[in-house]
Amino acid sequence: DDGTTCKCTKSFCLKLYCDCFQSGRFCNDHCECVGCQNKKRFSGPSGIRTKVIDQILARRPDAFEYRPKRTGEGCSCKKNRYVELLEW
């Protein structure tokens, strides 16, 4: 265990912004997630977790590869209110 935890509330921990899911780990007792489906009981050949992983990998084969965050790296959304203020 690397100490990764999450606090997901609406994604069932099956999105890449869930730190546990993105790192390829199951959520654990230290997580504060709600409705979690990133657990062993949801994996297996016909499990929802396995199906979601397969769908993500079909769209983006490198989705689960480790990418360290660089200093200053953050949201680059065009509709982000902060970005609009800076461009103004």
Side-chain angles (χ1 to χ4, degrees):
D1 185 20
D2 67 354
T4 302
T5 62
C6 69
K7 297 179 182 181
C8 303
T9 57
K10 296 181 181 178
S11 68
F12 306 107
C13 300
L14 295 177
K15 301 283 184 180
L16 288 172
Y17 48 79
C18 172
D19 291 335
C20 299
F21 184 72
Q22 200 278 330
S23 66
R25 301 189 189 294
F26 293 112
C27 290
N28 59 54
D29 294 337
H30 301 290
C31 293
E32 297 176 26
C33 43
V34 176
C36 181
Q37 293 184 0
N38 184 32
K39 303 220 180 219
K40 195 166 192 158
R41 68 174 181 248
F42 295 105
S43 63
S46 61
I48 185 72
R49 181 180 185 270
T50 304
K51 290 177 183 178
V52 170
I53 289 171
D54 291 344
Q55 289 172 355
I56 291 170
L57 288 174
R59 288 190 310 262
R60 209 173 111 202
D62 67 340
F64 294 96
E65 290 179 13
Y66 176 74
R67 285 186 227 57
K69 292 184 180 180
R70 292 175 280 196
T71 304
E73 185 177 86
C75 178
S76 59
C77 303
K78 297 296 180 197
K79 295 183 180 183
N80 185 319
R81 181 91 173 118
Y82 183 72
V83 172
E84 289 173 13
L85 292 173
L86 288 177
E87 293 173 351
W88 206 60

